PDB file of all heavy atoms in Angstrom:
ATOM      1  N   MET P  94       2.757 -10.189  29.073  1.00  0.00           N
ATOM      2  CA  MET P  94       1.388  -9.697  29.084  1.00  0.00           C
ATOM      3  C   MET P  94       1.246  -8.337  28.397  1.00  0.00           C
ATOM      4  O   MET P  94       0.274  -8.040  27.723  1.00  0.00           O
ATOM      5  CB  MET P  94       0.981  -9.588  30.560  1.00  0.00           C
ATOM      6  CG  MET P  94      -0.351  -9.012  30.778  1.00  0.00           C
ATOM      7  SD  MET P  94      -0.765  -8.601  32.482  1.00  0.00           S
ATOM      8  CE  MET P  94       0.544  -9.063  33.464  1.00  0.00           C
ATOM      9  N   ASN P 105      -4.068 -13.915  30.937  1.00  0.00           N
ATOM     10  CA  ASN P 105      -2.808 -13.734  31.660  1.00  0.00           C
ATOM     11  C   ASN P 105      -2.966 -12.710  32.774  1.00  0.00           C
ATOM     12  O   ASN P 105      -2.457 -12.888  33.882  1.00  0.00           O
ATOM     13  CB  ASN P 105      -1.699 -13.317  30.690  1.00  0.00           C
ATOM     14  CG  ASN P 105      -1.106 -14.507  29.967  1.00  0.00           C
ATOM     15  OD1 ASN P 105      -0.091 -15.055  30.394  1.00  0.00           O
ATOM     16  ND2 ASN P 105      -1.758 -14.966  28.919  1.00  0.00           N
ATOM     17  N   ARG P 106      -3.654 -11.644  32.472  1.00  0.00           N
ATOM     18  CA  ARG P 106      -3.797 -10.587  33.484  1.00  0.00           C
ATOM     19  C   ARG P 106      -4.604 -11.088  34.691  1.00  0.00           C
ATOM     20  O   ARG P 106      -4.340 -10.724  35.836  1.00  0.00           O
ATOM     21  CB  ARG P 106      -4.442  -9.345  32.851  1.00  0.00           C
ATOM     22  CG  ARG P 106      -4.405  -8.129  33.756  1.00  0.00           C
ATOM     23  CD  ARG P 106      -4.677  -6.846  32.980  1.00  0.00           C
ATOM     24  NE  ARG P 106      -5.036  -5.792  33.899  1.00  0.00           N
ATOM     25  CZ  ARG P 106      -4.435  -4.606  33.954  1.00  0.00           C
ATOM     26  NH1 ARG P 106      -3.455  -4.300  33.146  1.00  0.00           N
ATOM     27  NH2 ARG P 106      -4.841  -3.698  34.828  1.00  0.00           N
ATOM     28  N   MET P 107      -5.580 -11.979  34.400  1.00  0.00           N
ATOM     29  CA  MET P 107      -6.422 -12.527  35.475  1.00  0.00           C
ATOM     30  C   MET P 107      -5.592 -13.273  36.524  1.00  0.00           C
ATOM     31  O   MET P 107      -5.959 -13.330  37.702  1.00  0.00           O
ATOM     32  CB  MET P 107      -7.463 -13.493  34.898  1.00  0.00           C
ATOM     33  CG  MET P 107      -8.582 -12.831  34.153  1.00  0.00           C
ATOM     34  SD  MET P 107      -9.566 -11.804  35.236  1.00  0.00           S
ATOM     35  CE  MET P 107     -10.537 -13.073  36.048  1.00  0.00           C
ATOM     36  N   ILE P 108      -4.481 -13.851  36.089  1.00  0.00           N
ATOM     37  CA  ILE P 108      -3.651 -14.620  37.029  1.00  0.00           C
ATOM     38  C   ILE P 108      -3.149 -13.715  38.151  1.00  0.00           C
ATOM     39  O   ILE P 108      -3.113 -14.102  39.319  1.00  0.00           O
ATOM     40  CB  ILE P 108      -2.449 -15.258  36.278  1.00  0.00           C
ATOM     41  CG1 ILE P 108      -2.963 -16.304  35.301  1.00  0.00           C
ATOM     42  CG2 ILE P 108      -1.441 -15.854  37.259  1.00  0.00           C
ATOM     43  CD1 ILE P 108      -1.856 -16.902  34.433  1.00  0.00           C
ATOM     44  N   LEU P 109      -2.783 -12.493  37.793  1.00  0.00           N
ATOM     45  CA  LEU P 109      -2.182 -11.591  38.783  1.00  0.00           C
ATOM     46  C   LEU P 109      -3.176 -10.644  39.439  1.00  0.00           C
ATOM     47  O   LEU P 109      -2.887 -10.053  40.470  1.00  0.00           O
ATOM     48  CB  LEU P 109      -1.093 -10.744  38.108  1.00  0.00           C
ATOM     49  CG  LEU P 109       0.192 -11.464  37.691  1.00  0.00           C
ATOM     50  CD1 LEU P 109       1.135 -10.472  37.039  1.00  0.00           C
ATOM     51  CD2 LEU P 109       0.888 -12.100  38.906  1.00  0.00           C
ATOM     52  N   ARG P 110      -4.330 -10.486  38.799  1.00  0.00           N
ATOM     53  CA  ARG P 110      -5.224  -9.398  39.209  1.00  0.00           C
ATOM     54  C   ARG P 110      -5.544  -9.380  40.703  1.00  0.00           C
ATOM     55  O   ARG P 110      -5.454  -8.368  41.357  1.00  0.00           O
ATOM     56  CB  ARG P 110      -6.507  -9.444  38.378  1.00  0.00           C
ATOM     57  CG  ARG P 110      -7.113  -8.069  38.217  1.00  0.00           C
ATOM     58  CD  ARG P 110      -8.379  -8.130  37.440  1.00  0.00           C
ATOM     59  NE  ARG P 110      -9.357  -9.001  38.094  1.00  0.00           N
ATOM     60  CZ  ARG P 110     -10.619  -9.088  37.709  1.00  0.00           C
ATOM     61  NH1 ARG P 110     -11.051  -8.390  36.686  1.00  0.00           N
ATOM     62  NH2 ARG P 110     -11.459  -9.887  38.329  1.00  0.00           N
ATOM     63  N   GLU P 111      -5.893 -10.573  41.218  1.00  0.00           N
ATOM     64  CA  GLU P 111      -6.280 -10.660  42.634  1.00  0.00           C
ATOM     65  C   GLU P 111      -5.168 -10.174  43.562  1.00  0.00           C
ATOM     66  O   GLU P 111      -5.407  -9.504  44.558  1.00  0.00           O
ATOM     67  CB  GLU P 111      -6.600 -12.113  42.991  1.00  0.00           C
ATOM     68  CG  GLU P 111      -7.965 -12.559  42.580  1.00  0.00           C
ATOM     69  CD  GLU P 111      -9.051 -11.839  43.361  1.00  0.00           C
ATOM     70  OE1 GLU P 111      -9.117 -12.043  44.589  1.00  0.00           O
ATOM     71  OE2 GLU P 111      -9.819 -11.074  42.736  1.00  0.00           O
ATOM     72  N   ARG P 112      -3.915 -10.537  43.201  1.00  0.00           N
ATOM     73  CA  ARG P 112      -2.769 -10.217  44.064  1.00  0.00           C
ATOM     74  C   ARG P 112      -2.420  -8.728  44.056  1.00  0.00           C
ATOM     75  O   ARG P 112      -1.646  -8.281  44.885  1.00  0.00           O
ATOM     76  CB  ARG P 112      -1.540 -11.005  43.617  1.00  0.00           C
ATOM     77  CG  ARG P 112      -1.567 -12.453  43.973  1.00  0.00           C
ATOM     78  CD  ARG P 112      -1.355 -12.678  45.469  1.00  0.00           C
ATOM     79  NE  ARG P 112      -1.435 -14.092  45.746  1.00  0.00           N
ATOM     80  CZ  ARG P 112      -0.386 -14.846  46.014  1.00  0.00           C
ATOM     81  NH1 ARG P 112       0.812 -14.336  46.062  1.00  0.00           N
ATOM     82  NH2 ARG P 112      -0.550 -16.131  46.244  1.00  0.00           N
ATOM     83  N   PHE P 113      -2.922  -7.991  43.064  1.00  0.00           N
ATOM     84  CA  PHE P 113      -2.580  -6.571  42.983  1.00  0.00           C
ATOM     85  C   PHE P 113      -3.780  -5.676  43.246  1.00  0.00           C
ATOM     86  O   PHE P 113      -3.730  -4.478  43.011  1.00  0.00           O
ATOM     87  CB  PHE P 113      -1.949  -6.248  41.618  1.00  0.00           C
ATOM     88  CG  PHE P 113      -0.502  -6.680  41.548  1.00  0.00           C
ATOM     89  CD1 PHE P 113      -0.157  -7.936  41.073  1.00  0.00           C
ATOM     90  CD2 PHE P 113       0.506  -5.844  41.996  1.00  0.00           C
ATOM     91  CE1 PHE P 113       1.179  -8.340  41.035  1.00  0.00           C
ATOM     92  CE2 PHE P 113       1.844  -6.241  41.965  1.00  0.00           C
ATOM     93  CZ  PHE P 113       2.174  -7.488  41.482  1.00  0.00           C
ATOM     94  N   LEU P 233       2.597 -18.611  42.920  1.00  0.00           N
ATOM     95  CA  LEU P 233       1.294 -18.398  42.283  1.00  0.00           C
ATOM     96  C   LEU P 233       1.380 -18.734  40.794  1.00  0.00           C
ATOM     97  O   LEU P 233       0.507 -19.397  40.234  1.00  0.00           O
ATOM     98  CB  LEU P 233       0.880 -16.924  42.461  1.00  0.00           C
ATOM     99  CG  LEU P 233      -0.393 -16.508  41.755  1.00  0.00           C
ATOM    100  CD1 LEU P 233      -1.582 -16.652  42.686  1.00  0.00           C
ATOM    101  CD2 LEU P 233      -0.319 -15.066  41.268  1.00  0.00           C
ATOM    102  N   PHE P 252       6.570 -13.436  33.067  1.00  0.00           N
ATOM    103  CA  PHE P 252       5.918 -12.710  34.172  1.00  0.00           C
ATOM    104  C   PHE P 252       6.971 -12.141  35.135  1.00  0.00           C
ATOM    105  O   PHE P 252       6.880 -10.990  35.549  1.00  0.00           O
ATOM    106  CB  PHE P 252       4.996 -13.645  34.957  1.00  0.00           C
ATOM    107  CG  PHE P 252       3.605 -13.749  34.407  1.00  0.00           C
ATOM    108  CD1 PHE P 252       3.174 -14.901  33.769  1.00  0.00           C
ATOM    109  CD2 PHE P 252       2.704 -12.701  34.549  1.00  0.00           C
ATOM    110  CE1 PHE P 252       1.881 -15.009  33.275  1.00  0.00           C
ATOM    111  CE2 PHE P 252       1.413 -12.804  34.058  1.00  0.00           C
ATOM    112  CZ  PHE P 252       1.004 -13.963  33.412  1.00  0.00           C
ATOM    113  N   LEU P 370      -1.082  -2.484  36.041  1.00  0.00           N
ATOM    114  CA  LEU P 370      -1.554  -3.429  37.048  1.00  0.00           C
ATOM    115  C   LEU P 370      -1.041  -3.053  38.440  1.00  0.00           C
ATOM    116  O   LEU P 370      -1.679  -3.340  39.449  1.00  0.00           O
ATOM    117  CB  LEU P 370      -1.020  -4.812  36.670  1.00  0.00           C
ATOM    118  CG  LEU P 370      -1.436  -5.964  37.534  1.00  0.00           C
ATOM    119  CD1 LEU P 370      -2.819  -6.441  37.110  1.00  0.00           C
ATOM    120  CD2 LEU P 370      -0.455  -7.120  37.405  1.00  0.00           C
TER     121      LEU P 370
END
Side-chain angles (χ1 to χ4, degrees):
M94 176 190 358
N105 278 265
R106 190 164 163 126
M107 287 296 282
I108 294 175
L109 290 180
R110 209 182 59 171
E111 280 293 295
R112 286 288 178 106
F113 282 92
L233 175 93
F252 273 108
L370 183 82

